[in-house]
Amino acid sequence: MVDLPLNSPIDIRAHVLYDAYQRYSTKKSYKNYKKLCIKFGKQAIIFEEYEYWFSQYLQEDERELPDIRGCILSDVTNGKSAETSFDDLCDAFKNQKIDEEDHGYWFNRFENGHLFNRVTFSDFPEDVISEIVERCDIKS
């Protein structure tokens, strides 16, 4: 068995399940995966390892919603509209509830060239910080 790389920039399970839903071959899915790795400046696993995980994940039952941000980024990279992306994700992961607002946030973020950078409190605009501070009491 091949060990899944811990430093993968995306959830490979989600990526495989989504690409399989779109009837992508293993090779086409791997090409998409490599594009995403390039965007993140990360090394992609070799095709043979990816092929192994592709076949493994196709045999799994969908239990919980995987991290679909990589799927959204793939849709942006491949030129899908936000609406088509959301609809396709809902169809692909039909047993799970995908939040439209979350999807829109990530789609717009990726479309504007931002990746998975962690946002901190100080990254908020000044008016948002002021609003938060106004609503909090000193003790909390």
Side-chain angles (χ1 to χ4, degrees):
M1 183 172 140
V2 180
D3 289 333
L4 187 62
L6 297 176
N7 65 345
S8 179
I10 63 162
D11 183 341
I12 293 177
R13 178 175 165 255
H15 183 72
V16 164
L17 294 173
Y18 189 49
D19 280 357
Y21 160 77
Q22 299 178 92
R23 301 194 187 286
Y24 289 173
S25 67
T26 309
K27 286 182 181 179
K28 184 168 183 177
S29 180
Y30 182 70
K31 281 177 142 177
N32 281 337
Y33 165 73
K34 281 181 64 173
K35 280 189 215 175
L36 299 176
C37 288
I38 289 168
K39 280 195 171 289
F40 283 103
K42 300 278 187 170
Q43 182 71 30
I45 60 176
I46 62 173
F47 176 74
E48 289 76 16
E49 287 179 29
Y50 188 85
E51 189 174 38
Y52 169 82
W53 287 111
F54 194 92
S55 65
Q56 287 295 113
Y57 290 139
L58 290 183
Q59 297 172 23
E60 277 188 8
D61 289 334
E62 185 185 329
R63 290 182 184 89
E64 59 186 54
L65 182 65
D67 183 352
I68 61 168
R69 292 178 298 173
C71 301
I72 298 168
L73 178 59
S74 179
D75 285 347
V76 169
T77 302
N78 291 316
K80 278 190 185 180
S81 70
E83 296 79 20
T84 301
S85 173
F86 181 73
D87 290 345
D88 286 352
L89 283 163
C90 288
D91 289 343
F93 299 103
K94 60 184 166 272
N95 297 330
Q96 308 296 331
K97 171 75 172 116
I98 297 175
D99 186 276
E100 192 169 4
E101 196 172 309
D102 273 353
H103 175 272
Y105 169 81
W106 286 107
F107 193 93
N108 289 333
R109 186 173 174 88
F110 295 147
E111 200 171 44
N112 292 324
H114 302 288
L115 296 177
F116 295 131
N117 302 348
R118 174 164 257 149
V119 177
T120 64
F121 187 74
S122 61
D123 293 325
F124 286 129
E126 209 171 286
D127 58 329
V128 172
I129 293 173
S130 297
E131 183 74 24
I132 293 170
V133 170
E134 284 176 18
R135 292 178 185 228
C136 293
D137 61 30
I138 296 290
K139 291 179 184 176
S140 62

